[in-house]
């Protein structure tokens, strides 16, 4: 399995990064089984967060006895020094370790700079040996550039997939030029991309990118492990990517959830991409009574645009909700027939 160097951290990690958000949806026994399979297969970089409910606890239980063999990265959404230290203390306890290889600001509402108290807290944690390296995650391109230009961060975690455009590709190159590690989140387009092989081959084009694949099932892990490390984009895979780009375009919800909670209780991250969901995955399970009730809530949208203000992709969410609801009703009543 090939390695990737995470920029100036000088950490050389296996090219398959393990994104541990999804295992919060699995029980402890299944999670440990998947994590140990990943470890035994050579995967050594594991990304989690304080925000991911019991994900840290599961990694701690799985890796307590082999801590020195792996790299642990976690994140904090704290925006005050007090909350930062509380999060870090809890994270270290849950992961059963006395240090983190990488600690990242987690999609907070600003980019901490040198004189900010939050940045000082992160720096102090590094000086105290509680963390080895400092990173930041964001969905906003402006924050990403601020972080790189600040000189404070050794890694950047940012959404990147074969749907990414010129801005994202330039960001990857900027990280390479500045020797800052680039960690690709949402490499499967927030769950809307269904061809892992095409995604894996796309990532293989970049020698400075570490993709972290969100894994919650053993068969998903086995898929990524089955691909040769030198997998390239052949004509068939390129065709899949072009078809996906044509179908998804730029104006689609990635399901990041930063638009929520909605004051009217609308499940935006589900309802705003239902049209794609019922076409790219089995349709029938999404036509049940429970999902119909969830979609019906979109009619209560008051167009306050609070969601738009929080959307890192600047989507017109009220319009997406209307369009998805109308399309959903047409599918439900048989007016629109989905061809698989």
């Amino acid at each position: 399995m090939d390695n990737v160097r995470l920029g100036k951290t000088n950490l050389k990690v296996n090219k398959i990064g393990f994104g541990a958000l999804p295992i919060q949806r699995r029980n402890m026994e299944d999670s440990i089984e998947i994590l140990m399979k990943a470890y035994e297969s050579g995967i050594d970089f594991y990304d989690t967060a304080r925000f991911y409910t019991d994900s840290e606890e599961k990694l701690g239980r799985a890796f307590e006895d082999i801590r020195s063999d792996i790299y642990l990265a976690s994140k904090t959404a704290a925006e005050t020094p007090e909350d930062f230290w509380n999060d870090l203390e809890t994270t270290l306890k849950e992961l059963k370790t006395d240090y983190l290889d990488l600690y990242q600001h987690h999609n907070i509402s600003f980019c901490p700079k040198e004189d900010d108290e939050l940045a000082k807290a992160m720096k102090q944690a590094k000086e105290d040996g509680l963390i080895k390296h400092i990173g930041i995650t964001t969905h906003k391109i402006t924050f990403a550039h601020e972080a790189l230009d600040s000189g404070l961060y050794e890694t950047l975690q940012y959404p990147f997939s074969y749907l990414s455009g010129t801005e994202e590709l330039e960001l990857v190159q900027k990280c390479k030029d500045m020797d800052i590690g680039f960690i690709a989140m949402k490499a499967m387009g927030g769950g809307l991309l269904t061809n892992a092989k095409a995604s894996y081959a796309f990532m293989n084009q970049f020698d400075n990118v570490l993709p972290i694949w969100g894994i919650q099932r053993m068969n998903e892990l086995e898929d990524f492990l089955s691909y040769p490390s030198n997998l390239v984009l052949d004509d068939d895979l390129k065709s899949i990517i072009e078809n996906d780009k044509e179908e998804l375009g730029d104006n689609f919800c990635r399901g990041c959830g930063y638009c929520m909670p909605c004051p009217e209780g609308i499940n935006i991250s589900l309802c705003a991409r239902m049209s794609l969901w019922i076409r790219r995955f089995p349709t029938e399970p999404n036509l049940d009574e429970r999902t119909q009730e969830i979609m019906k809530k979109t009619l209560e949208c008051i167009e306050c645009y609070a969601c738009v203000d929080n959307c890192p992709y600047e989507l017109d969410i009220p319009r997406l909700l209307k369009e998805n609801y109308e399309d959903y009703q047409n599918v439900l009543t048989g007016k629109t027939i989905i061809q698989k």
Side-chain angles (χ1 to χ4, degrees):
M1 195 181 299
D2 285 352
N3 288 341
V4 59
R5 176 178 169 274
L6 270 182
K8 63 184 68 175
T9 70
N10 278 320
L11 297 179
K12 294 180 180 178
V13 303
N14 292 143
K15 185 74 174 184
I16 299 177
F18 192 107
L21 183 154
I23 62 169
Q24 65 183 319
R25 306 182 191 118
R26 303 298 302 272
N27 62 39
M28 184 65 71
E29 182 180 357
D30 291 344
S31 297
I32 291 177
E33 182 182 8
I34 293 170
L35 290 166
M36 290 308 300
K37 171 67 174 179
Y39 167 73
E40 291 164 359
S41 301
I43 294 175
D44 59 4
F45 185 90
Y46 298 83
D47 180 86
T48 183
R50 182 85 293 276
F51 185 70
Y52 300 164
T53 61
D54 64 354
S55 174
E56 291 178 329
E57 179 187 1
K58 288 168 177 172
L59 267 69
R61 290 274 296 274
F63 297 143
E64 181 179 12
D65 296 331
I66 51 175
R67 172 65 183 95
S68 61
D69 296 340
I70 61 170
Y71 300 103
L72 288 176
S74 195
K75 318 182 195 77
T76 173
E79 297 198 353
T80 67
E82 180 181 3
D83 289 341
F84 171 90
W85 290 112
N86 287 337
D87 272 2
L88 181 54
E89 179 182 5
T90 303
T91 288
L92 292 172
K93 179 181 178 181
E94 296 291 347
L95 287 171
K96 298 183 184 295
T97 184
D98 55 5
Y99 72 96
L100 296 173
D101 296 286
L102 175 65
Y103 202 36
Q104 305 155 96
H105 292 298
H106 191 189
N107 294 319
I108 59 179
S109 62
F110 65 99
C111 176
K113 306 288 181 57
E114 186 174 0
D115 294 331
D116 294 330
E117 293 301 314
L118 197 58
K120 291 178 181 178
M122 183 73 88
K123 183 178 179 182
Q124 186 63 53
K126 184 177 181 180
E127 291 176 355
D128 292 345
L130 299 176
I131 63 177
K132 301 298 184 182
H133 302 286
I134 298 172
I136 189 168
T137 80
T138 183
H139 288 73
K140 297 186 177 180
I141 193 75
T142 53
F143 283 10
H145 284 289
E146 283 184 38
L148 299 185
D149 295 340
S150 73
L152 296 179
Y153 301 99
E154 299 166 271
T155 65
L156 169 70
Q157 186 172 152
Y158 193 81
F160 188 61
S161 71
Y162 62 65
L163 299 175
S164 296
T166 302
E167 283 189 335
E168 291 85 358
L169 292 169
E170 290 176 347
L171 193 64
V172 169
Q173 184 60 48
K174 183 174 180 177
C175 283
K176 185 172 184 176
D177 293 342
M178 299 181 70
D179 201 26
I180 293 173
F182 188 97
I183 302 172
M185 63 165 134
K186 296 194 177 297
M188 297 296 292
L192 288 176
L193 300 181
T194 58
N195 195 298
K197 186 177 182 180
S199 294
Y200 187 97
F202 172 81
M203 291 296 177
N204 261 357
Q205 300 175 106
F206 306 94
D207 60 6
N208 67 315
V209 172
L210 173 66
I212 48 171
W213 307 103
I215 294 169
Q216 67 174 319
R217 298 182 179 87
M218 189 68 77
N219 67 302
E220 294 170 347
L221 173 62
E222 290 170 345
D223 277 347
F224 288 115
L225 292 172
S226 71
Y227 305 135
S229 59
N230 61 348
L231 181 68
V232 298
L233 283 173
D234 59 22
D235 289 341
D236 289 339
L237 295 177
K238 288 178 181 178
S239 177
I240 289 169
I241 289 175
E242 289 308 311
N243 288 338
D244 279 346
K245 284 183 174 181
E246 182 177 351
E247 180 176 339
L248 292 168
D250 296 322
N251 190 40
F252 72 95
C253 172
R254 279 77 168 174
C256 68
Y258 291 100
C259 56
M260 297 169 67
C262 167
E264 301 304 313
I266 299 169
N267 187 338
I268 298 172
S269 61
L270 175 66
C271 297
R273 56 180 184 160
M274 181 56 71
S275 290
L276 293 171
W277 206 259
I278 57 181
R279 285 166 173 78
R280 302 181 70 80
F281 299 97
T283 303
E284 290 301 324
N286 295 294
L287 302 181
D288 63 0
E289 292 185 5
R290 175 179 172 275
T291 308
Q292 291 178 43
E293 288 301 312
I294 292 173
M295 290 299 295
K296 189 175 180 180
K297 285 287 290 183
T298 63
L299 298 176
E300 300 178 21
C301 174
I302 60 174
E303 298 189 13
C304 66
Y305 280 82
C307 53
V308 176
D309 291 339
N310 292 324
C311 177
Y313 303 98
E314 301 179 349
L315 300 176
D316 186 345
I317 294 174
R319 180 174 64 81
L320 282 177
L321 291 174
K322 288 180 181 179
E323 291 174 353
N324 276 262
Y325 180 75
E326 180 179 350
D327 179 58
Y328 185 79
Q329 291 302 308
N330 287 338
V331 173
L332 197 63
T333 59
K335 185 176 180 180
T336 297
I337 304 298
I338 295 177
Q339 301 293 335
K340 293 290 187 178

